[in-house]
Amino acid sequence: MAVPIAVLDCDLLLYGRGHRTLDRFKLEDVTDEYLVSTYGFPRQFICYLVDLLGATLSRPTQRSRAISPETQILAALGFYTSGSFQTRMGDAIGISQASMSRCVANVTEALVERASQFIHFPKDEATVQALKDDFYALAGMPGVLGVVDCTHVTIKAPNAEDLSYVNRKGLHSLNCLMVCDSRGVLLSAETHWPGSLPDCTVLDQAALTSKFETELHKDGWLLGGSSFLLRTWLMTPLHIPETPAEYRYNMAHSATHSVIERTFRTLRSRFRCLDGSKGTLQYSPEKSSHIILACCVLHNISLQLGLDVWSEPATGHAEQSEEEYEQMESVDSEACRVRQELLLTHFS
């Protein structure tokens, strides 16, 4: 005799039907302290994201339309800040792990779509001058438009076992090129480069280089570490300083450039999915790149809203020093002239 089998509609269980919602969590029912401890951010920040992304996350063509934008955002924030789907958060907001995964994907893509809105160099002269003034106030380094460096974020091995993602530590990673201002606001973030590429090669191929060589090189420069080549728009430290002026230049360079290192620590501390403590990002390189970029957008939004991200402690999983580099020697005579003029004008 045939035994009847109950067939479950998985989509119905996960996403509901029509306008029915599965989430039981109500933002207004909990304290700010609970939101910060569970999702990493206060109510003001979460409400801002709901207003910013709500229309996108409510698109009727998305299968997850039955889960409210508010719940999707909370699920994504929970993943970004904890690095895991296995948290009390799923029970708290009333959705499954599978639904949480879909929420993370939806919110990540919505944030990536808005990356250029929140991550960009200033364009008007007054803001550019304020940027330089803020950097000068740090350690007396003039003309600085941003500090640049690379940081590695580990990912799972791609399905094709692409060796281009294996870094010098033998780990699969993305090498992310970022620029920030004196407050740690990101001005540029390229998160897709394979981990096998050294920093200098990433910069050579980056959109950032094209941008500076064609648009942004106007009486200013970036500060980069010794893993980069000296350029007319990129000032690097002197390998072996000999004169007092050269020592003063190197000290000012180091003190100013340290802002990007602090920014990397802050990103890893706030967004634990990036710091390696919960394992590698379990996504393809493309999706992992988008998650990193989404976290960069959230970092800038938090600064825009006045949240004190500098107070975040370091986690001890920073990867920006993944490689040890020898000093890069520039063959650009014009770049050497620009740096020498800087030494004579401001540090002699």
Side-chain angles (χ1 to χ4, degrees):
M1 182 178 66
V3 178
I5 299 176
V7 179
L8 299 179
D9 185 342
C10 293
D11 282 345
L12 175 61
L13 290 175
L14 293 180
Y15 308 113
R17 176 175 286 140
H19 297 288
R20 185 175 164 225
T21 60
L22 292 176
D23 42 299
R24 302 184 297 270
F25 185 89
K26 298 298 179 185
L27 192 60
E28 61 270 17
D29 292 341
V30 296
T31 65
D32 250 16
E33 290 75 13
Y34 173 82
L35 292 173
V36 171
S37 66
T38 307
Y39 305 103
F41 292 95
R43 189 184 318 274
Q44 168 203 16
F45 182 89
I46 296 168
C47 290
Y48 179 90
L49 290 183
V50 172
D51 290 340
L52 178 70
L53 307 178
T56 301
L57 298 176
S58 298
R59 288 173 183 166
T61 55
Q62 292 186 353
R63 296 174 68 193
S64 58
R65 64 180 179 176
I67 302 178
S68 70
E70 180 180 281
T71 299
Q72 292 185 62
I73 288 167
L74 288 172
L77 290 178
F79 170 73
Y80 298 146
T81 58
S82 72
S84 174
F85 291 125
Q86 304 294 338
T87 68
R88 57 182 176 171
M89 150 182 60
D91 290 336
I93 60 181
I95 62 175
S96 69
Q97 180 175 332
S99 294
M100 283 182 58
S101 180
R102 187 174 292 276
C103 290
V104 170
N106 290 343
V107 174
T108 295
E109 292 311 306
L111 288 169
V112 167
E113 287 175 5
R114 290 161 176 79
S116 61
Q117 177 182 344
F118 295 97
I119 303 175
H120 57 80
F121 284 90
K123 295 181 179 179
D124 63 281
E125 290 186 10
T127 309
V128 170
Q129 187 58 50
L131 182 65
K132 295 179 183 179
D133 292 343
D134 289 343
F135 272 119
Y136 186 79
L138 289 180
M141 181 69 76
V144 180
L145 299 172
V147 289
V148 59
D149 210 341
C150 288
T151 184
H152 285 253
V153 176
T154 54
I155 62 173
K156 75 171 183 178
N159 290 335
E161 285 295 329
D162 191 339
L163 294 179
S164 68
Y165 290 95
V166 179
N167 61 35
R168 289 182 60 180
K169 289 185 176 180
L171 303 173
H172 292 83
S173 69
L174 292 169
N175 195 1
C176 305
L177 178 73
M178 300 187 192
V179 180
C180 75
D181 70 8
S182 63
R183 296 171 50 234
V185 175
L186 293 168
L187 306 175
S188 177
E190 298 185 35
T191 60
H192 62 283
W193 297 102
S196 67
L197 293 181
D199 295 358
C200 58
T201 303
V202 168
L203 184 62
D204 283 343
Q205 300 178 11
L208 177 68
T209 294
S210 175
K211 184 180 292 290
F212 260 82
E213 291 182 344
T214 60
E215 302 174 28
L216 295 178
H217 184 205
K218 298 177 180 178
D219 301 319
W221 37 71
L222 299 178
L223 295 188
S226 58
S227 60
F228 298 119
L229 284 170
L230 179 71
R231 302 168 187 256
T232 55
W233 51 268
L234 178 65
M235 293 293 102
T236 60
L238 289 145
H239 181 31
I240 304 176
E242 297 177 347
T243 68
E246 290 175 346
Y247 276 102
R248 286 192 288 269
Y249 166 85
N250 269 14
M251 290 178 64
H253 186 291
S254 177
T256 307
H257 189 261
S258 66
V259 174
I260 189 70
E261 298 162 8
R262 195 176 185 187
T263 300
F264 288 156
R265 290 197 299 269
T266 298
L267 281 167
R268 294 178 185 282
S269 175
R270 171 150 277 172
F271 303 107
R272 299 296 294 274
C273 68
L274 307 181
D275 78 352
S277 66
K278 297 291 184 179
T280 61
L281 281 174
Q282 296 298 302
Y283 295 91
S284 68
E286 180 182 8
K287 290 184 178 179
S288 294
S289 171
H290 285 186
I291 288 172
I292 299 166
L293 185 56
C295 291
C296 291
V297 173
L298 293 174
H299 168 83
N300 275 10
I301 292 175
S302 67
L303 282 170
Q304 177 180 300
L305 296 181
L307 300 183
D308 184 13
V309 297
W310 290 129
S311 66
E312 297 294 323
T315 63
H317 291 276
E319 293 282 346
Q320 66 266 24
S321 299
E322 187 267 331
E323 300 180 29
E324 295 295 332
Y325 291 98
E326 296 181 0
Q327 175 74 24
M328 302 291 291
E329 295 294 342
S330 177
V331 295
D332 187 335
S333 59
E334 179 62 15
C336 292
R337 185 197 65 77
V338 170
R339 185 170 64 181
Q340 188 62 29
E341 184 177 329
L342 176 60
L343 280 163
L344 293 174
T345 305
H346 293 280
F347 295 97
S348 294

